[in-house]
Amino acid sequence: MENTRERLAALERRLAELEGQVDRELNREAGDSSQERATDTLPLSPRLQVVYDSQRTEFRVLKPEGQAGVCLVGSEEGGAIQVLDACGRVAVVVDATLVGGRMRIYDTRCHEVLRIEVDEEGGLIECRMPQGGLGVRLRSREDGGEFMVMDGERGTGVQVCSVGGSIEVALLKEGRLVMKGVL
């Protein structure tokens, strides 16, 4: 009985491998594969899947019910890790940019709530309000740091920066500079 199960599992893996090869060959014969996406189930496990086209490749780890839980993405821009929630929506993305790295966290409405970025100038952390506007920003650069607290889309808040040995404080109302002082 054990030998039969092993043989059946080996046949399933080989069949999945052959199906992937046939898909790739059909896409190659079809000519312009940039418009098509192909999907392979890796012979390692039925819960691992590769989806690719001419622009990007995704390696998906599937949950027991068949939905993707984690995707590793490779493209011309770089690589990314996407973590999906129970409904299949992107909840967290960690990716490479042309100048550094970035992490974004989304709410259940697919709105970006938290962003962390690093580039050659320093780092940035932004937290957004539920309605989408900026709530808090913390930034560090070679020439100093910045801290900003806003009320979201209305654009009212305060910004404090340290620049060249001095501290600048700016008050904003409805997105416009109301008052600025240097200490």
Side-chain angles (χ1 to χ4, degrees), residues 92-97 100-105 112-119 122-128 136 138:
V92 179
V93 176
V94 178
D95 61 345
T97 66
R102 172 177 55 197
M103 181 171 85
R104 294 167 287 163
I105 301 176
E112 183 181 288
V113 177
L114 181 66
R115 171 190 294 251
I116 301 171
E117 289 187 20
V118 177
D119 62 24
L124 169 74
I125 301 173
E126 286 185 349
C127 186
R128 298 205 161 287
V136 177
L138 180 63

Side-chain angles (χ1 to χ4, degrees), residues 19-104:
E19 286 174 340
Q21 289 174 357
V22 168
D23 283 344
R24 284 190 293 277
E25 189 61 34
L26 288 173
N27 284 337
R28 197 172 315 135
E29 288 176 8
D32 183 18
S33 63
S34 65
Q35 302 300 319
E36 299 178 26
R37 289 182 67 83
T39 302
D40 282 340
T41 301
L42 295 180
L44 308 171
S45 167
R47 291 198 182 137
L48 300 177
Q49 189 178 71
V50 177
V51 178
Y52 57 91
D53 60 24
S54 65
Q55 303 297 314
R56 59 190 265 149
T57 301
E58 291 181 16
F59 179 81
R60 296 178 180 170
V61 178
L62 305 179
K63 298 185 284 188
E65 63 273 8
Q67 258 188 332
V70 176
C71 295
L72 304 176
V73 180
S75 68
E76 290 179 7
E77 292 86 35
I81 300 170
Q82 298 176 339
V83 179
L84 288 76
D85 67 12
C87 296
R89 295 177 298 244
V90 174
V92 179
V93 176
V94 178
D95 61 345
T97 66
L98 295 174
V99 293
R102 172 177 55 197
M103 181 171 85
R104 294 167 287 163

